[in-house]
Amino acid sequence: MSRPITSSPRRLTIRDVAKAAGVSLTTVSHALNDRGVVDPVTRARVKQVAADLGYRPNVRAQRLRSGSANSIALVSSMPFAVSGGVSRLGFMMEVAGIAAEAAMRRGLALVFVPPLEDAQAFLEGLDIDGAILLEPMTHDPNVRLLQERGVALVSIGRQGGGADSLPFVDLQSTATAHLLLNHLWEQGRRRIALVQSSAVRDSYASHKKAYENFATAHAMPLRYMQVEESLGEAGGQEACAKLLARYPDIDALCVPVDAFAVGALRAVQQAGLRVPQDVMIATRYDGLRARTAEPSLTAVDLHLEQVATLAVELLFEHLSGDKSRMSVLGPKPELRARASTQRDA
Amino acid sequence: MSRPITSSPRRLTIRDVAKAAGVSLTTVSHALNDRGVVDPVTRARVKQVAADLGYRPNVRAQRLRSGSANSIALVSSMPFAVSGGVSRLGFMMEVAGIAAEAAMRRGLALVFVPPLEDAQAFLEGLDIDGAILLEPMTHDPNVRLLQERGVALVSIGRQGGGADSLPFVDLQSTATAHLLLNHLWEQGRRRIALVQSSAVRDSYASHKKAYENFATAHAMPLRYMQVEESLGEAGGQEACAKLLARYPDIDALCVPVDAFAVGALRAVQQAGLRVPQDVMIATRYDGLRARTAEPSLTAVDLHLEQVATLAVELLFEHLSGDKSRMSVLGPKPELRARASTQRDA
């Protein structure tokens, strides 16, 4: 990787290379870009002269010529209250780290679009070829916006709502819901409540449906409450407090959104009950919130490394014009049992 | 934000707007970009027509005209063994989340450049105006590469090595080292060893100097070992095992690099010693590694939210041509005492 360093702050141009090599601008351009008809010896000499001078091509001009931005974006449609939080080390950042690596190995830059209110205006001005959307809603404004611009899209988690869903990595949300519910049942719980986001996302719908089927199969009464995502931890706390007051027989809370689960923990403790002895709590994303809660929360390892890599691969296929795969099965979710659901604690 | 959806997949151009508005291409361009001399009524009408049609400007062409990529990169020069790891939720991702937000509020996209071997080749092709470097080494190849290209740079943590250091956010590394050493001393420890990375970074040099001054002031013998960053947790473990074998009187390990600290924990336990009773361990970055270790590790809250925001602000100033501030004092680091340094445990 060593190369001569120019002492001048002026940026070298193709003119400098042409002058030093004693050839025309066109010859330099063709030689460096392996285009046109250039004698192989001349081509090699021009490349050597360019290397000796320390010439670097103008990246932006190249981008415009190639018609490609060589950039993809990672976009969340979750409100900040859920996807951000005190430590900001959530689901999205875990995916971002891996996706950036996978993208880079294919020569693509990953632009990280944080979950903020004004993300939409920002997205409009973003020069990208493709984007990965995290669990988009059924009618996600970001999806429409990017589709109109001709940006290739894939989603992590199916975009619900029917036939025209995006190519996606299947997060296996029903399997995740069953893992949590079966675990709570095996721990002896018979009055399991579900506290879920009111947003229209496929994973939420899958969880709810799995819960209803589970309740029917086990003749368990339904204890269900919806929370608005933008309310974050406080919203989860309030909803759980209400549920516990209304149904004092609840012995377990299945709270897939981790921000809500932290709120659930507070609600149980403020009601003078103990976790896990009186009420067990389980959540979905095995992140910092679940691991550092007191007691630590049982969660599900979604194998986000693999998920993120699969998403970049799928997007890369679609960007390259290969649209044969409209979905990819994600890795099998695995339960991570922790103190919050420990029997005989 | 609602707008009509075009049924045609063809992208609308400025020509469509000109035709519909019955004006020239130049008038449309001037009206939409608020440039040139256009009658205010015409300007408003053109904008309305463009909005009605659902016209969006060509982002890439705009970028080329403005000469600005509206993108900045976050670049780590840490090897993957230290900055990555099993959970990948490290220092860099925490900074990335906040920096992306702060950048977006200024209309800048944040490109995340993961700490990989081939990052340099990738950086060469990246269309960016500026970059934030995380704790660059004294002779950091990424710094040179980006400087040659005229990319504006700031660093988080001073780039060591003298007069021509980059504009930086001061991480207050000496204060951090004192926090850790004084804490171990107050916990009754009198044979504190320092295990440090061999890479030439300013924070490492500051820690070492602070350790030497501390040892002199307290008449404490020096117990010091260097580890190569690329060896990660295993390297930290091996170094600590050697140190403990050579100096059985060591009663505390100050291990600023968190990957090494996790290795230190294993080394102590494998030597049949207890943490914290026989050997206390303290580290610098208060991330997932420190919080989820068993026992949890005493660490320092560097207030990375503020650090990341300050870095984006400083970079934005330099991008805007205001180069008055060459450094910004970062927030005061705060100790987070945990089980690994608990007295009378």
Side-chain angles (χ1 to χ4, degrees), chain A residues 3 5 56 59-60 63 67 69 80 86 88 93 98 100-101 104 109-112 114 119 122 124-127 148 288 305, chain B residues 3 5 56 59-60 63 67 86 88 93 97-98 100-101 104 108-112 114 119 122 124-127 148 288 305:
Chain A
R3 72 178 61 77
I5 307 303
R56 286 205 185 72
V59 174
R60 199 165 305 140
R63 279 170 76 149
F80 190 72
V86 179
R88 315 273 176 108
M93 293 316 294
I98 315 293
E101 268 184 61
M104 192 170 127
L110 185 96
V111 175
F112 177 65
F122 181 72
E124 291 207 42
L126 211 54
D127 186 15
E148 280 179 62
L288 198 62
E305 298 210 5
Chain B
R3 71 178 62 75
I5 306 303
R56 287 206 183 73
V59 174
R60 199 165 303 139
R63 279 170 76 149
V86 180
R88 316 272 177 108
M93 293 316 294
I98 315 293
E101 268 184 61
M104 193 171 125
L108 296 169
L110 185 94
V111 176
F112 176 66
F122 180 73
E124 291 206 42
L126 211 56
D127 187 15
E148 281 178 61
L288 198 62
E305 296 210 5

Short mmCIF file of all heavy atoms in Angstrom, two decimals, chain A residues 3 5 56 59-60 63 67 69 80 86 88 93 98 100-101 104 109-112 114 119 122 124-127 148 288 305, chain B residues 3 5 56 59-60 63 67 86 88 93 97-98 100-101 104 108-112 114 119 122 124-127 148 288 305:
data_model
loop_
_atom_site.label_atom_id
_atom_site.label_comp_id
_atom_site.label_asym_id
_atom_site.label_seq_id
_atom_site.Cartn_x
_atom_site.Cartn_y
_atom_site.Cartn_z
N ARG A 3 2.96 4.42 -1.09
CA ARG A 3 2.98 5.23 -2.30
C ARG A 3 3.63 6.56 -1.97
O ARG A 3 3.66 6.99 -0.82
CB ARG A 3 1.56 5.44 -2.83
CG ARG A 3 0.70 6.37 -2.03
CD ARG A 3 -0.64 6.51 -2.69
NE ARG A 3 -1.33 5.25 -2.77
CZ ARG A 3 -1.93 4.69 -1.71
NH1 ARG A 3 -1.90 5.28 -0.53
NH2 ARG A 3 -2.54 3.53 -1.82
N ILE A 5 4.31 10.34 -1.38
CA ILE A 5 3.43 11.40 -0.87
C ILE A 5 3.80 12.70 -1.57
O ILE A 5 4.97 13.06 -1.62
CB ILE A 5 3.62 11.58 0.64
CG1 ILE A 5 3.46 10.24 1.36
CG2 ILE A 5 2.67 12.62 1.20
CD1 ILE A 5 2.14 9.57 1.10
N ARG A 56 -4.84 10.10 -7.69
CA ARG A 56 -6.06 9.36 -7.36
C ARG A 56 -7.21 9.92 -8.16
O ARG A 56 -7.36 11.13 -8.25
CB ARG A 56 -6.39 9.49 -5.87
CG ARG A 56 -5.48 8.68 -5.04
CD ARG A 56 -6.12 8.32 -3.72
NE ARG A 56 -5.12 7.64 -2.95
CZ ARG A 56 -4.07 8.25 -2.41
NH1 ARG A 56 -3.96 9.54 -2.51
NH2 ARG A 56 -3.18 7.56 -1.76
N VAL A 59 -13.38 10.59 -7.22
CA VAL A 59 -14.39 9.59 -6.88
C VAL A 59 -15.79 10.03 -7.32
O VAL A 59 -16.56 9.25 -7.86
CB VAL A 59 -14.38 9.33 -5.37
CG1 VAL A 59 -15.52 8.41 -4.98
CG2 VAL A 59 -13.05 8.74 -4.94
N ARG A 60 -16.08 11.29 -7.10
CA ARG A 60 -17.44 11.75 -7.36
C ARG A 60 -17.75 11.72 -8.86
O ARG A 60 -18.83 11.31 -9.28
CB ARG A 60 -17.64 13.15 -6.80
CG ARG A 60 -19.11 13.49 -6.64
CD ARG A 60 -19.29 14.70 -5.76
NE ARG A 60 -18.63 14.50 -4.50
CZ ARG A 60 -17.95 15.45 -3.87
NH1 ARG A 60 -17.84 16.65 -4.40
NH2 ARG A 60 -17.38 15.18 -2.72
N ARG A 63 -18.42 8.28 -9.90
CA ARG A 63 -19.76 7.85 -9.48
C ARG A 63 -20.80 8.28 -10.48
O ARG A 63 -21.70 7.53 -10.82
CB ARG A 63 -20.10 8.44 -8.11
CG ARG A 63 -19.49 7.68 -6.99
CD ARG A 63 -19.66 8.44 -5.72
NE ARG A 63 -21.02 8.33 -5.23
CZ ARG A 63 -21.31 8.37 -3.93
NH1 ARG A 63 -20.37 8.50 -3.04
NH2 ARG A 63 -22.54 8.28 -3.54
N GLY A 67 -23.08 5.88 -12.84
CA GLY A 67 -24.52 5.87 -12.53
C GLY A 67 -24.83 5.16 -11.23
O GLY A 67 -25.96 4.84 -10.94
N ALA A 69 -24.12 4.91 -6.93
CA ALA A 69 -23.63 5.62 -5.76
C ALA A 69 -22.70 4.74 -4.95
O ALA A 69 -21.94 5.21 -4.12
CB ALA A 69 -24.80 6.07 -4.89
N PHE A 80 -37.73 6.66 18.04
CA PHE A 80 -36.53 6.71 18.85
C PHE A 80 -36.74 6.13 20.25
O PHE A 80 -35.85 5.53 20.83
CB PHE A 80 -36.07 8.16 18.95
CG PHE A 80 -34.72 8.29 19.56
CD1 PHE A 80 -33.61 7.90 18.85
CD2 PHE A 80 -34.57 8.76 20.85
CE1 PHE A 80 -32.35 7.98 19.41
CE2 PHE A 80 -33.32 8.85 21.42
CZ PHE A 80 -32.21 8.47 20.70
N VAL A 86 -31.49 5.05 26.49
CA VAL A 86 -30.34 5.60 27.20
C VAL A 86 -29.03 5.17 26.58
O VAL A 86 -28.17 5.97 26.26
CB VAL A 86 -30.37 5.17 28.68
CG1 VAL A 86 -29.17 5.73 29.40
CG2 VAL A 86 -31.65 5.64 29.33
N ARG A 88 -28.52 3.56 23.70
CA ARG A 88 -28.50 3.63 22.24
C ARG A 88 -27.85 2.40 21.59
O ARG A 88 -27.46 2.45 20.44
CB ARG A 88 -27.74 4.87 21.74
CG ARG A 88 -28.07 6.13 22.46
CD ARG A 88 -29.27 6.81 21.81
NE ARG A 88 -29.63 7.98 22.57
CZ ARG A 88 -29.43 9.23 22.16
NH1 ARG A 88 -28.89 9.45 21.00
NH2 ARG A 88 -29.80 10.24 22.91
N MET A 93 -28.20 -0.83 15.93
CA MET A 93 -26.76 -0.68 15.90
C MET A 93 -26.07 -2.02 15.75
O MET A 93 -25.01 -2.13 15.15
CB MET A 93 -26.27 0.05 17.15
CG MET A 93 -26.71 1.50 17.25
SD MET A 93 -26.53 2.42 15.70
CE MET A 93 -24.75 2.44 15.52
N ILE A 98 -22.68 -5.21 11.60
CA ILE A 98 -22.46 -6.36 10.72
C ILE A 98 -22.75 -5.99 9.27
O ILE A 98 -22.01 -6.36 8.35
CB ILE A 98 -23.39 -7.54 11.11
CG1 ILE A 98 -23.39 -7.74 12.62
CG2 ILE A 98 -22.99 -8.80 10.35
CD1 ILE A 98 -22.10 -8.21 13.16
N ALA A 100 -22.55 -3.16 7.82
CA ALA A 100 -21.49 -2.31 7.27
C ALA A 100 -20.31 -3.15 6.79
O ALA A 100 -19.73 -2.88 5.74
CB ALA A 100 -21.03 -1.29 8.32
N GLU A 101 -19.98 -4.15 7.57
CA GLU A 101 -18.89 -5.05 7.17
C GLU A 101 -19.22 -5.80 5.90
O GLU A 101 -18.43 -5.86 4.97
CB GLU A 101 -18.72 -6.12 8.24
CG GLU A 101 -17.74 -5.82 9.30
CD GLU A 101 -17.64 -7.03 10.18
OE1 GLU A 101 -17.26 -8.11 9.69
OE2 GLU A 101 -18.02 -6.89 11.36
N MET A 104 -19.20 -3.50 2.96
CA MET A 104 -17.85 -3.09 2.61
C MET A 104 -17.13 -4.17 1.82
O MET A 104 -16.36 -3.86 0.90
CB MET A 104 -17.10 -2.75 3.89
CG MET A 104 -15.79 -2.04 3.65
SD MET A 104 -15.15 -1.44 5.23
CE MET A 104 -13.52 -2.16 5.15
N ALA A 109 -20.68 1.34 0.53
CA ALA A 109 -20.65 2.08 1.79
C ALA A 109 -22.01 1.98 2.45
O ALA A 109 -23.04 2.02 1.77
CB ALA A 109 -20.31 3.54 1.52
N LEU A 110 -22.03 1.85 3.74
CA LEU A 110 -23.30 1.79 4.46
C LEU A 110 -23.55 3.12 5.15
O LEU A 110 -22.77 3.56 5.98
CB LEU A 110 -23.31 0.68 5.50
CG LEU A 110 -24.68 0.54 6.17
CD1 LEU A 110 -25.49 -0.55 5.49
CD2 LEU A 110 -24.55 0.22 7.65
N VAL A 111 -24.67 3.74 4.78
CA VAL A 111 -25.07 4.99 5.43
C VAL A 111 -26.12 4.63 6.47
O VAL A 111 -27.06 3.90 6.20
CB VAL A 111 -25.70 5.97 4.42
CG1 VAL A 111 -26.22 7.20 5.13
CG2 VAL A 111 -24.69 6.34 3.37
N PHE A 112 -25.90 5.16 7.65
CA PHE A 112 -26.75 4.81 8.76
C PHE A 112 -27.79 5.93 8.95
O PHE A 112 -27.42 7.07 9.19
CB PHE A 112 -25.84 4.66 9.98
CG PHE A 112 -26.56 4.38 11.23
CD1 PHE A 112 -27.25 3.19 11.38
CD2 PHE A 112 -26.56 5.28 12.27
CE1 PHE A 112 -27.93 2.91 12.55
CE2 PHE A 112 -27.23 5.02 13.44
CZ PHE A 112 -27.91 3.83 13.58
N PRO A 114 -30.53 7.24 11.24
CA PRO A 114 -31.06 7.03 12.58
C PRO A 114 -32.58 7.21 12.62
O PRO A 114 -33.15 7.90 11.77
CB PRO A 114 -30.39 8.12 13.42
CG PRO A 114 -29.33 8.72 12.58
CD PRO A 114 -29.72 8.48 11.16
N ALA A 119 -36.23 11.95 9.49
CA ALA A 119 -35.46 11.04 8.65
C ALA A 119 -35.97 11.05 7.21
O ALA A 119 -35.22 10.83 6.27
CB ALA A 119 -35.51 9.63 9.21
N PHE A 122 -34.48 13.72 5.15
CA PHE A 122 -33.08 13.36 5.00
C PHE A 122 -32.92 12.29 3.92
O PHE A 122 -32.05 12.37 3.05
CB PHE A 122 -32.57 12.85 6.33
CG PHE A 122 -31.12 12.46 6.33
CD1 PHE A 122 -30.13 13.41 6.28
CD2 PHE A 122 -30.77 11.13 6.41
CE1 PHE A 122 -28.79 13.04 6.30
CE2 PHE A 122 -29.44 10.74 6.42
CZ PHE A 122 -28.46 11.71 6.37
N GLU A 124 -34.73 11.71 1.41
CA GLU A 124 -34.98 12.25 0.07
C GLU A 124 -33.71 12.75 -0.58
O GLU A 124 -33.57 12.69 -1.80
CB GLU A 124 -35.99 13.41 0.13
CG GLU A 124 -37.38 12.97 0.49
CD GLU A 124 -38.42 13.93 -0.08
OE1 GLU A 124 -38.26 14.35 -1.24
OE2 GLU A 124 -39.37 14.24 0.65
N GLY A 125 -32.79 13.25 0.22
CA GLY A 125 -31.58 13.83 -0.34
C GLY A 125 -30.40 12.87 -0.36
O GLY A 125 -29.29 13.26 -0.69
N LEU A 126 -30.64 11.63 0.00
CA LEU A 126 -29.55 10.68 0.14
C LEU A 126 -29.26 9.98 -1.19
O LEU A 126 -30.17 9.46 -1.83
CB LEU A 126 -29.97 9.65 1.19
CG LEU A 126 -28.90 9.02 2.05
CD1 LEU A 126 -28.05 10.06 2.75
CD2 LEU A 126 -29.56 8.11 3.06
N ASP A 127 -28.00 9.99 -1.57
CA ASP A 127 -27.59 9.37 -2.84
C ASP A 127 -27.23 7.91 -2.59
O ASP A 127 -26.11 7.58 -2.22
CB ASP A 127 -26.38 10.14 -3.39
CG ASP A 127 -26.00 9.65 -4.78
OD1 ASP A 127 -26.81 8.96 -5.42
OD2 ASP A 127 -24.88 9.97 -5.21
N GLU A 148 -40.30 5.06 -4.99
CA GLU A 148 -40.54 6.07 -6.04
C GLU A 148 -39.25 6.53 -6.68
O GLU A 148 -39.20 6.86 -7.86
CB GLU A 148 -41.24 7.29 -5.45
CG GLU A 148 -42.71 7.13 -5.25
CD GLU A 148 -43.26 8.40 -4.63
OE1 GLU A 148 -43.17 9.47 -5.26
OE2 GLU A 148 -43.76 8.33 -3.49
N LEU A 288 -28.68 -5.02 25.22
CA LEU A 288 -28.18 -4.48 26.48
C LEU A 288 -29.29 -4.34 27.52
O LEU A 288 -29.10 -4.61 28.70
CB LEU A 288 -27.55 -3.11 26.20
CG LEU A 288 -26.61 -2.57 27.27
CD1 LEU A 288 -25.41 -3.48 27.44
CD2 LEU A 288 -26.14 -1.17 26.91
N GLU A 305 -26.24 -11.27 13.56
CA GLU A 305 -25.08 -11.27 12.65
C GLU A 305 -25.47 -11.91 11.33
O GLU A 305 -25.24 -11.36 10.26
CB GLU A 305 -23.93 -12.06 13.25
CG GLU A 305 -23.40 -11.50 14.54
CD GLU A 305 -21.91 -11.81 14.71
OE1 GLU A 305 -21.30 -12.37 13.78
OE2 GLU A 305 -21.37 -11.46 15.76
N ARG B 3 -47.96 13.22 -1.03
CA ARG B 3 -47.75 13.69 -2.39
C ARG B 3 -48.32 12.65 -3.35
O ARG B 3 -48.45 11.49 -3.01
CB ARG B 3 -46.27 13.93 -2.66
CG ARG B 3 -45.42 12.70 -2.77
CD ARG B 3 -44.02 13.09 -3.07
NE ARG B 3 -43.44 13.90 -1.99
CZ ARG B 3 -43.06 13.39 -0.85
NH1 ARG B 3 -43.22 12.10 -0.61
NH2 ARG B 3 -42.52 14.15 0.06
N ILE B 5 -48.68 9.92 -6.13
CA ILE B 5 -47.78 8.85 -6.55
C ILE B 5 -47.92 8.69 -8.06
O ILE B 5 -49.03 8.58 -8.58
CB ILE B 5 -48.17 7.52 -5.86
CG1 ILE B 5 -48.23 7.72 -4.36
CG2 ILE B 5 -47.23 6.41 -6.26
CD1 ILE B 5 -46.96 8.23 -3.76
N ARG B 56 -38.91 14.90 -8.09
CA ARG B 56 -37.80 14.99 -7.13
C ARG B 56 -36.52 15.24 -7.90
O ARG B 56 -36.26 14.61 -8.91
CB ARG B 56 -37.66 13.69 -6.35
CG ARG B 56 -38.74 13.52 -5.35
CD ARG B 56 -38.31 12.67 -4.20
NE ARG B 56 -39.47 12.52 -3.34
CZ ARG B 56 -40.50 11.77 -3.66
NH1 ARG B 56 -40.49 11.09 -4.78
NH2 ARG B 56 -41.53 11.71 -2.86
N VAL B 59 -30.50 13.68 -7.10
CA VAL B 59 -29.60 13.94 -5.98
C VAL B 59 -28.14 13.93 -6.40
O VAL B 59 -27.35 14.77 -6.02
CB VAL B 59 -29.83 12.88 -4.89
CG1 VAL B 59 -28.80 13.05 -3.79
CG2 VAL B 59 -31.23 12.98 -4.33
N ARG B 60 -27.81 12.95 -7.26
CA ARG B 60 -26.40 12.81 -7.61
C ARG B 60 -25.90 13.99 -8.43
O ARG B 60 -24.80 14.48 -8.21
CB ARG B 60 -26.18 11.50 -8.35
CG ARG B 60 -24.73 11.06 -8.32
CD ARG B 60 -24.59 9.62 -8.73
NE ARG B 60 -25.38 8.77 -7.90
CZ ARG B 60 -26.08 7.74 -8.34
NH1 ARG B 60 -26.09 7.44 -9.62
NH2 ARG B 60 -26.79 7.01 -7.52
N ARG B 63 -25.30 16.85 -6.22
CA ARG B 63 -24.08 16.70 -5.45
C ARG B 63 -22.88 17.14 -6.27
O ARG B 63 -21.98 17.80 -5.75
CB ARG B 63 -23.89 15.23 -5.07
CG ARG B 63 -24.69 14.82 -3.89
CD ARG B 63 -24.65 13.34 -3.73
NE ARG B 63 -23.37 12.93 -3.19
CZ ARG B 63 -23.26 11.86 -2.40
NH1 ARG B 63 -24.30 11.13 -2.08
NH2 ARG B 63 -22.10 11.52 -1.93
N GLY B 67 -20.47 20.31 -5.51
CA GLY B 67 -19.10 19.97 -5.14
C GLY B 67 -19.00 19.36 -3.77
O GLY B 67 -17.93 19.24 -3.19
N VAL B 86 -17.29 -10.62 20.06
CA VAL B 86 -18.49 -11.43 19.93
C VAL B 86 -19.75 -10.59 19.72
O VAL B 86 -20.52 -10.78 18.80
CB VAL B 86 -18.68 -12.32 21.17
CG1 VAL B 86 -19.93 -13.17 21.03
CG2 VAL B 86 -17.46 -13.22 21.35
N ARG B 88 -20.01 -7.28 19.14
CA ARG B 88 -19.87 -6.17 18.20
C ARG B 88 -20.50 -4.87 18.68
O ARG B 88 -20.73 -3.97 17.89
CB ARG B 88 -20.50 -6.52 16.83
CG ARG B 88 -20.16 -7.89 16.34
CD ARG B 88 -18.86 -7.87 15.53
NE ARG B 88 -18.50 -9.20 15.12
CZ ARG B 88 -18.58 -9.65 13.87
NH1 ARG B 88 -18.98 -8.86 12.92
NH2 ARG B 88 -18.23 -10.87 13.58
N MET B 93 -19.61 1.50 17.80
CA MET B 93 -21.03 1.51 17.46
C MET B 93 -21.78 2.51 18.33
O MET B 93 -22.75 3.12 17.91
CB MET B 93 -21.63 0.12 17.59
CG MET B 93 -21.11 -0.88 16.57
SD MET B 93 -21.01 -0.23 14.88
CE MET B 93 -22.74 0.02 14.52
N GLY B 97 -23.91 5.58 16.56
CA GLY B 97 -25.34 5.88 16.72
C GLY B 97 -25.57 7.35 16.95
O GLY B 97 -26.42 7.98 16.31
N ILE B 98 -24.81 7.93 17.86
CA ILE B 98 -24.98 9.35 18.20
C ILE B 98 -24.49 10.25 17.07
O ILE B 98 -25.13 11.23 16.70
CB ILE B 98 -24.20 9.70 19.48
CG1 ILE B 98 -24.40 8.66 20.55
CG2 ILE B 98 -24.56 11.10 19.95
CD1 ILE B 98 -25.76 8.58 21.10
N ALA B 100 -24.32 9.64 13.95
CA ALA B 100 -25.23 9.61 12.80
C ALA B 100 -26.40 10.57 13.01
O ALA B 100 -26.82 11.27 12.09
CB ALA B 100 -25.74 8.19 12.57
N GLU B 101 -26.89 10.60 14.24
CA GLU B 101 -27.97 11.54 14.56
C GLU B 101 -27.53 12.98 14.42
O GLU B 101 -28.21 13.80 13.80
CB GLU B 101 -28.36 11.37 16.02
CG GLU B 101 -29.44 10.40 16.30
CD GLU B 101 -29.72 10.47 17.78
OE1 GLU B 101 -30.10 11.55 18.29
OE2 GLU B 101 -29.51 9.42 18.40
N MET B 104 -27.04 13.87 10.84
CA MET B 104 -28.29 13.99 10.11
C MET B 104 -28.97 15.32 10.38
O MET B 104 -29.58 15.91 9.48
CB MET B 104 -29.19 12.83 10.53
CG MET B 104 -30.38 12.63 9.64
SD MET B 104 -31.20 11.07 10.08
CE MET B 104 -32.85 11.69 10.37
N LEU B 108 -26.07 15.81 6.93
CA LEU B 108 -24.94 15.00 6.49
C LEU B 108 -25.23 13.52 6.74
O LEU B 108 -25.71 13.14 7.81
CB LEU B 108 -23.68 15.38 7.29
CG LEU B 108 -23.13 16.79 7.11
CD1 LEU B 108 -22.06 17.08 8.16
CD2 LEU B 108 -22.56 16.96 5.71
N ALA B 109 -24.92 12.70 5.74
CA ALA B 109 -25.06 11.25 5.92
C ALA B 109 -23.80 10.72 6.58
O ALA B 109 -22.70 11.16 6.28
CB ALA B 109 -25.27 10.58 4.57
N LEU B 110 -23.97 9.79 7.48
CA LEU B 110 -22.82 9.18 8.12
C LEU B 110 -22.57 7.80 7.53
O LEU B 110 -23.42 6.92 7.58
CB LEU B 110 -23.00 9.04 9.63
CG LEU B 110 -21.75 8.52 10.33
CD1 LEU B 110 -20.90 9.67 10.84
CD2 LEU B 110 -22.08 7.57 11.45
N VAL B 111 -21.38 7.62 6.96
CA VAL B 111 -20.97 6.32 6.44
C VAL B 111 -20.09 5.66 7.49
O VAL B 111 -19.17 6.28 8.02
CB VAL B 111 -20.16 6.48 5.13
CG1 VAL B 111 -19.67 5.13 4.65
CG2 VAL B 111 -21.01 7.15 4.07
N PHE B 112 -20.43 4.44 7.77
CA PHE B 112 -19.75 3.73 8.82
C PHE B 112 -18.68 2.83 8.19
O PHE B 112 -19.01 1.96 7.39
CB PHE B 112 -20.81 2.93 9.57
CG PHE B 112 -20.27 2.07 10.64
CD1 PHE B 112 -19.69 2.64 11.75
CD2 PHE B 112 -20.33 0.70 10.54
CE1 PHE B 112 -19.17 1.84 12.74
CE2 PHE B 112 -19.82 -0.10 11.53
CZ PHE B 112 -19.23 0.47 12.64
N PRO B 114 -16.19 0.05 8.87
CA PRO B 114 -15.85 -0.91 9.92
C PRO B 114 -14.34 -1.14 10.01
O PRO B 114 -13.62 -0.94 9.03
CB PRO B 114 -16.54 -2.20 9.49
CG PRO B 114 -17.43 -1.84 8.36
CD PRO B 114 -16.88 -0.60 7.75
N ALA B 119 -10.02 -1.87 4.88
CA ALA B 119 -10.74 -0.59 4.98
C ALA B 119 -10.05 0.50 4.18
O ALA B 119 -10.70 1.42 3.67
CB ALA B 119 -10.87 -0.17 6.44
N PHE B 122 -11.07 0.58 0.63
CA PHE B 122 -12.46 1.02 0.63
C PHE B 122 -12.54 2.54 0.81
O PHE B 122 -13.29 3.22 0.11
CB PHE B 122 -13.19 0.30 1.76
CG PHE B 122 -14.63 0.63 1.89
CD1 PHE B 122 -15.54 0.16 0.97
CD2 PHE B 122 -15.07 1.41 2.94
CE1 PHE B 122 -16.89 0.46 1.10
CE2 PHE B 122 -16.42 1.71 3.07
CZ PHE B 122 -17.32 1.24 2.15
N GLU B 124 -10.45 4.72 -0.03
CA GLU B 124 -10.00 5.44 -1.23
C GLU B 124 -11.15 5.73 -2.18
O GLU B 124 -11.15 6.72 -2.89
CB GLU B 124 -8.93 4.63 -1.97
CG GLU B 124 -7.64 4.54 -1.22
CD GLU B 124 -6.48 4.32 -2.17
OE1 GLU B 124 -6.45 4.96 -3.23
OE2 GLU B 124 -5.60 3.50 -1.83
N GLY B 125 -12.13 4.84 -2.21
CA GLY B 125 -13.22 5.00 -3.16
C GLY B 125 -14.45 5.69 -2.58
O GLY B 125 -15.48 5.78 -3.23
N LEU B 126 -14.33 6.15 -1.36
CA LEU B 126 -15.49 6.70 -0.67
C LEU B 126 -15.65 8.19 -0.96
O LEU B 126 -14.70 8.96 -0.82
CB LEU B 126 -15.29 6.47 0.83
CG LEU B 126 -16.50 6.27 1.71
CD1 LEU B 126 -17.36 5.11 1.20
CD2 LEU B 126 -16.04 5.97 3.13
N ASP B 127 -16.86 8.58 -1.36
CA ASP B 127 -17.14 9.98 -1.69
C ASP B 127 -17.62 10.70 -0.44
O ASP B 127 -18.81 10.69 -0.11
CB ASP B 127 -18.22 10.02 -2.78
CG ASP B 127 -18.44 11.44 -3.30
OD1 ASP B 127 -17.60 12.31 -3.03
OD2 ASP B 127 -19.46 11.65 -3.97
N GLU B 148 -4.55 13.53 2.05
CA GLU B 148 -4.11 13.72 0.66
C GLU B 148 -5.29 14.02 -0.25
O GLU B 148 -5.15 14.73 -1.24
CB GLU B 148 -3.43 12.46 0.15
CG GLU B 148 -2.01 12.29 0.60
CD GLU B 148 -1.45 10.99 0.06
OE1 GLU B 148 -1.40 10.83 -1.17
OE2 GLU B 148 -1.10 10.12 0.88
N LEU B 288 -20.58 -3.24 26.81
CA LEU B 288 -21.20 -4.53 27.08
C LEU B 288 -20.22 -5.49 27.74
O LEU B 288 -20.59 -6.25 28.65
CB LEU B 288 -21.71 -5.12 25.75
CG LEU B 288 -22.73 -6.24 25.86
CD1 LEU B 288 -23.99 -5.76 26.55
CD2 LEU B 288 -23.06 -6.80 24.49
N GLU B 305 -21.94 9.92 24.27
CA GLU B 305 -22.97 10.70 23.57
C GLU B 305 -22.45 12.11 23.33
O GLU B 305 -22.51 12.63 22.22
CB GLU B 305 -24.24 10.80 24.42
CG GLU B 305 -24.90 9.47 24.65
CD GLU B 305 -26.42 9.62 24.81
OE1 GLU B 305 -26.94 10.73 24.63
OE2 GLU B 305 -27.07 8.60 25.10
#
